[in-house]
Amino acid sequence: MKIYTKTGDKGETGLFGGGRVPKDHLRIEAYGTIDELNSVIGVVISEISDKEVAELLQKVQNQLFVAGSDLAAPKTEKNEKYIQRIDKKYSEELEEFIDQFESRLEELKNFILPGGTKAASYLHLARTVCRRAERIVTTLNKTVEIGPDLMVYLNRLSDLLFVLARYENRVNNIPDVIWKKL
């Protein structure tokens, strides 16, 4: 199978289940941002030394593939038979991981700045890309039906990435970078 199809050479792309939209359509922006997030998480995994966190992030990468296909497939009766959607269980699982890793950290009493180890910094970058994806999906949801579980999932995932950034710094004996009022 060739990697190029030439079907997008005029600025359009196909959606799962049929139909074509311009490549700058908000739906494409949404799942493109999910793809970007997945790539940033791949960079994090290449930098992280904690095996438990790396395995969790690989699981998240697989979930993000589901999120991308969820966004790439309009809700139609035909698609519902074939497309896996983000389900409430994904967010619940993220909440369990947040609680698990947060219990290993000191209570957060200040705003913190992104930074610390390279992996922690990349986790903060992933968090901001996740927040952007969440904003785009929220806007998209005003014009097309997006499952509410996807929006909750992205919200929880950004929280998890924040907690993991703090955890990465803690296991490397790097203190949180506290925001100081100027």
Side-chain angles (χ1 to χ4, degrees):
M1 181 171 113
K2 289 186 176 187
I3 191 69
Y4 59 90
T5 62
K6 299 184 181 183
T7 60
D9 290 352
K10 294 184 179 171
E12 289 188 342
T13 191
L15 299 175
F16 290 159
R20 296 188 68 73
V21 294
K23 288 187 176 184
D24 63 352
H25 189 278
L26 199 54
R27 182 181 293 278
I28 309 309
E29 185 69 26
Y31 73 72
T33 305
I34 296 292
D35 186 34
E36 179 184 352
L37 172 58
N38 209 336
S39 295
V40 173
I41 289 174
V43 172
V44 171
I45 292 169
S46 74
E47 291 292 333
I48 209 135
S49 57
D50 188 294
K51 186 178 178 182
E52 180 184 17
V53 174
E55 288 174 0
L56 168 56
L57 290 174
Q58 285 178 334
K59 184 173 194 165
V60 166
Q61 283 188 301
N62 282 286
Q63 292 173 346
L64 287 172
F65 242 78
V66 174
S69 67
D70 193 340
L71 287 164
K75 288 189 172 272
T76 64
E77 190 174 316
K78 178 183 173 188
N79 281 347
E80 295 314 293
K81 295 177 187 174
Y82 304 104
I83 300 299
Q84 185 179 0
R85 304 277 182 194
I86 289 292
D87 186 89
K88 181 179 168 182
K89 67 182 177 191
Y90 294 107
S91 299
E92 291 169 348
E93 184 177 48
L94 292 183
E95 288 172 2
E96 290 173 15
F97 286 121
I98 291 167
D99 293 344
Q100 175 187 339
F101 283 96
E102 201 169 35
S103 72
R104 303 175 194 177
L105 299 170
E106 291 181 26
E107 182 181 352
L108 188 60
K109 296 179 181 178
N110 300 290
F111 289 112
I112 65 167
L113 301 176
T117 68
K118 190 183 276 191
S121 298
Y122 283 136
L123 280 159
H124 280 293
L125 177 60
R127 174 186 55 79
T128 62
V129 174
C130 187
R131 287 290 189 202
R132 179 163 33 96
E134 184 181 8
R135 291 189 303 272
I136 294 168
V137 170
T138 299
T139 302
L140 178 63
N141 191 46
K142 293 175 183 175
T143 58
V144 299
E145 183 183 359
I146 300 296
D149 295 325
L150 176 58
M151 294 173 64
V152 172
Y153 175 80
L154 291 172
N155 193 3
R156 291 306 174 281
L157 179 56
S158 63
D159 293 339
L160 175 65
L161 294 168
F162 177 79
V163 168
L164 291 178
R166 291 190 66 219
Y167 177 76
E168 167 65 15
N169 280 336
R170 190 195 69 73
V171 298
N172 286 285
N173 296 314
I174 305 288
D176 287 329
V177 182
I178 305 298
W179 171 72
K180 296 176 183 156
K181 189 175 179 180
L182 299 177

